[in-house]
Amino acid sequence: MKGLRLYLPPFAPDTSGAASVLYPLGGMVIIVDAGGCAGNICGFDEPRWQQTGSRSAVFSAGLRDMDAIMGRDDKLIEKIRQACLMVDPRFIALIGTPVPAVIGTDYRALTRMIQNAVRLPAIAIDSNGTKKYDQGGAKALLALSRMFAPKAKRRQPANESPRGKQGTLGVLGLTPLDFTAEEAHRLISILHRQGWQDIRCYDRLEDFQKAGRFRKNLVVSPMGLPAARFFAAQFDIPYEVSIPAAFFEESAALSSIPSDSRVLIVHQQVFANSLRGFLRQEGHQGAICCATFFEQEGQLAEKGDQLWEEEDCFCQFLQTEPFDYLAADELMLRALPDFHGHFLSLPHFAVSGSSTARTSV
């Protein structure tokens, strides 16, 4: 049944994905809602709110019924103007929710009004709270890239080598919704060991402003693909969609998988594909299927890979397809009471939030 959940909770929505990208950039984030969506983002879908010393300026528009019905944008503009006097943001970002989606809010006009009122850059992410987190995160990364990246194409100096690992590596899609803090630290350490000295994770506004001079972009989750394609078209910056094999090498659980076993990996597509590549590199010859509830690029998928929209699709697939190993977030086991194979934990905050232990393979 469409939308029915008996075991799995609602996944992080597009509003939360957008907010996660914007969280560390020093802007003022306005959730255009009555208060509920902002509460979910701050209370459940953003782990950094629980960290000591971690701060971000996130506000609810506090829409009332008549504000939405009558389109009282002037009240929202005044709230933003007053808030700017308190927090001194570097830019303003609006994140859409079901209410502005239903009434057809004109975000282009609204951002122009904000820029005229507070003299700061303003962007809008037209999320609606009904799609998945990676779609909202992708929209936020692309909007930031279009607003803050240089407008002119970079001219490469004659003495600058176009190859090798000299220069800056951008990492797109590295947010807490996909990677734990320990995983993010491990990934950056591996990239340093591979020879990249300057690594930018698009978690500072300056990263977007200097993105036209990056040597390469590494896309580690599907939400980074639209921005990577933008930088490739705008600045001729190549990009790679993968997570280094060394990221998985320290896992004793992975090394214990027999080479002829059937393995199902459930995560976001880039993570799952990279883990499959690592297992094959280690000599695994059995069938490996990658599956996701989120964005799936057809060009990155192999025959037999699964894209699930509903919980019962996941349950039925496991009932009809025998697998020896399942690698997924621990919360997935709730939906599989009859699974008797081996389970490997792949934490995915967008799936389980704080409801499961955050331990990684």
Side-chain angles (χ1 to χ4, degrees):
M1 180 182 296
K2 184 175 177 60
L4 177 65
R5 295 290 182 92
L6 297 178
Y7 306 102
L8 302 179
F11 301 145
D14 52 355
T15 52
S16 298
S20 185
V21 169
L22 292 161
Y23 183 96
L25 300 180
M28 179 189 296
V29 179
I30 311 295
I31 314 298
V32 189
D33 71 335
C37 294
N40 286 338
I41 290 170
C42 298
F44 301 99
D45 291 339
E46 178 48 70
R48 284 169 291 192
W49 283 111
Q50 312 304 322
Q51 298 174 4
T52 303
S54 181
R55 301 179 60 186
S56 185
V58 179
F59 292 83
S60 167
L63 294 176
R64 305 278 73 87
D65 290 347
M66 291 308 296
D67 295 336
I69 293 170
M70 302 303 294
R72 295 170 177 167
D73 294 335
D74 56 324
K75 294 184 66 175
L76 176 59
I77 301 300
E78 179 57 22
K79 289 179 181 178
I80 293 173
R81 190 190 67 79
Q82 293 183 18
C84 284
L85 300 176
M86 297 185 293
V87 299
D88 190 25
R90 303 182 67 181
F91 65 95
I92 309 296
L94 304 177
I95 296 180
T97 67
V99 172
V102 169
I103 66 175
T105 295
D106 186 344
Y107 287 115
R108 178 179 295 183
L110 196 53
T111 53
R112 284 201 301 265
M113 293 169 63
I114 292 171
Q115 289 177 148
N116 291 334
V118 300
R119 303 299 177 185
L120 289 172
I123 61 173
I125 293 88
D126 63 341
S127 51
N128 59 23
T130 68
K131 301 185 184 301
K132 306 291 177 56
Y133 78 100
D134 46 357
Q135 296 183 45
K139 289 181 177 181
L141 283 169
L142 185 57
L144 289 160
S145 302
R146 287 173 170 168
M147 171 63 76
F148 294 107
K151 305 305 178 187
K153 182 175 292 189
R154 175 177 69 104
R155 296 184 62 184
Q156 183 173 292
N159 61 349
E160 188 175 1
S161 172
R163 298 186 180 274
K165 294 180 180 178
Q166 299 300 315
T168 301
L169 175 70
V171 181
L172 283 161
L174 187 64
T175 76
L177 294 180
D178 283 323
F179 296 87
T180 66
E182 185 275 331
E183 289 172 337
H185 177 74
R186 184 164 82 243
L187 175 61
I188 299 304
S189 297
I190 289 168
L191 294 173
H192 278 307
R193 292 201 299 269
Q194 290 181 346
W196 292 102
Q197 299 302 311
D198 188 16
I199 300 171
R200 305 297 179 92
C201 297
Y202 293 94
D203 55 359
R204 299 181 302 173
L205 196 59
E206 290 78 9
D207 295 347
F208 292 91
Q209 295 168 336
K210 298 178 180 179
R213 300 191 61 83
F214 290 3
R215 171 65 58 214
K216 180 181 178 181
N217 280 313
L218 180 67
V219 179
V220 296
S221 74
M223 73 168 65
L225 268 173
R229 289 167 177 158
F230 170 81
F231 290 128
Q234 186 75 6
F235 306 110
D236 297 325
I237 298 174
Y239 64 90
E240 178 182 348
V241 185
S242 71
I243 298 169
F247 179 84
F248 304 101
E249 287 179 350
E250 299 177 4
S251 171
L254 293 177
S255 63
S256 67
I257 299 177
S259 62
D260 59 347
S261 57
R262 287 174 53 85
V263 181
L264 174 64
I265 305 170
V266 184
H267 208 280
Q268 49 99 334
Q269 188 183 25
V270 180
F271 194 104
N273 282 2
S274 300
L275 176 52
R276 173 165 58 190
F278 168 76
L279 291 174
R280 287 175 176 168
Q281 177 181 296
E282 294 299 298
H284 194 281
Q285 298 176 356
I288 304 176
C289 176
C290 292
T292 188
F293 284 93
F294 306 105
E295 288 290 283
Q296 186 185 70
E297 284 285 323
Q299 295 179 344
L300 301 178
E302 294 186 4
K303 184 178 180 180
D305 284 357
Q306 298 294 305
L307 172 60
W308 297 317
E309 292 291 337
E310 306 299 336
E311 178 186 278
D312 57 0
C313 297
F314 168 52
C315 299
Q316 291 171 14
F317 182 76
L318 266 295
Q319 290 171 359
T320 58
E321 296 288 337
F323 286 95
D324 303 305
Y325 283 81
L326 169 63
D329 190 279
E330 291 181 15
L331 202 67
M332 296 287 181
L333 286 176
R334 290 185 182 180
L336 304 171
D338 298 324
F339 178 73
H340 300 297
H342 300 276
F343 178 78
L344 301 176
S345 176
L346 294 184
H348 196 179
F349 197 91
V351 170
S352 60
S354 59
S355 62
T356 60
R358 307 303 295 158
T359 56
S360 171
V361 299

